[in-house]
Amino acid sequence: MCPGHRPDSSYINIDFVLDIIDQLQSAGIKAIVLSGGGEPILHPNIIDIIKYINSKGINIGLVTSGQRNFSYNKMEYIIRSLTWLRISLDAGTPEIYKLTHGIDQDKYKTVLNFIQDALSARKKTDSQCTIGVGYLTGWNHEKEIEDYEQAALICAKMGVDYFQLRPLNFSNKVYEFSDYIKKSVASINNKMRLVKSRHKYDFFDTTRIDYRRPYKYCHISYFTTIICVNGGVYVCCDLRNQPTACIGNLHQKSFIDIWKNVNEVTAKVNIDNCLPHCKNDNANRIIDRILQNKDNNHKNFI
């Protein structure tokens, strides 16, 4: 149900999940994002997982395609527990949804219902959860701009907090929100923000910036990591399942012991082979500018 159409349907064992959460709490982890190259809400124990993370005082973010119906009570609990929720919609009509997700177009209504249920639950519980919707561009169908504008209007009417454009793949197209759609959205819901992954689109538009990496080391890997269904702990999501980017495996060592290897593994990652518009690129550029500043005599006090 993700645009990648990955065939793997395996999921992580609940007892293993709870043990990992305990380890992350002991390590002082502040937040966990439930996401992946799969669909987190299809896990049979997703409510129990959210409850357990919540009981540990760890903030939770959730990225989902919204392809599951929950009872009102369960949805209310989910929304009360989350710091933020992002739903991948990627379509303004059922027909385009079938094209972008490769599944029955009737599922489009399921996603819209999920979004509406989440918004209703937030209102009823007075939750502060931020709820946004994502739209991947780059499908190269003739109705793409018309479609994402239609999707933005749908989201504005429902009352989501933001509508985000992100590029699916390499393209020389740079997508913008027209003045018409900005005004139309504002007239419906002046609180909904129209946002886009600007640094990724800037990579495609080579007239704007030099897209080559000025840094040779992934600084952000010290602040975030990814745990896969097989227990592997990796430098980042783009390098998951690549042996050279594996810090360790939780079936073999504890998270705290694994994290002792982060310096060694990160140093071996060849930045030149990474995706040029990865999600961590912007943060890496900022950190590198600070570290390379010759006037900064106190780097340990950044």
Side-chain angles (χ1 to χ4, degrees), residues 1 33 51 61 91 112 155 167 181 191 195 203 212 223 231 237 291 293-294 297:
M1 276 175 291
V33 177
K51 283 183 178 180
L112 295 183
C155 292
I181 202 64
K191 293 183 179 180
V195 297
F203 168 77
R212 292 171 296 181
F223 302 96
C237 60
L291 294 176
N293 184 355
K294 295 181 180 179
N297 296 320

Side-chain angles (χ1 to χ4, degrees), residues 11 14 18 27 30-31 39 63 89 91 105 127 135 139 141 153 194-195 230 251 255 270:
Y11 59 85
I14 179 62
L18 301 185
K30 301 296 183 183
E39 176 47 66
V63 181
L89 184 59
Q105 64 187 38
S127 166
Y135 189 110
W139 301 100
H141 58 81
L153 291 174
L194 293 171
V195 297
N230 62 3
H251 285 294
F255 182 81
N270 186 347

Side-chain angles (χ1 to χ4, degrees), residues 135-163:
Y135 189 110
L136 288 173
T137 63
W139 301 100
N140 295 323
H141 58 81
E142 59 183 12
K143 296 183 178 180
E144 186 164 37
I145 295 177
E146 176 187 334
D147 187 71
Y148 73 64
E149 291 189 343
Q150 171 67 16
L153 291 174
I154 291 172
C155 292
K157 291 175 183 177
M158 286 195 289
V160 304
D161 297 312
Y162 67 87
F163 180 83

Side-chain angles (χ1 to χ4, degrees), residues 264-284:
E264 179 183 353
V265 175
T266 302
K268 293 179 180 178
V269 173
N270 186 347
I271 294 293
D272 294 332
N273 293 334
C274 292
L275 287 175
H277 62 299
C278 77
K279 64 182 295 184
N280 295 328
D281 180 55
N282 234 18
N284 272 321

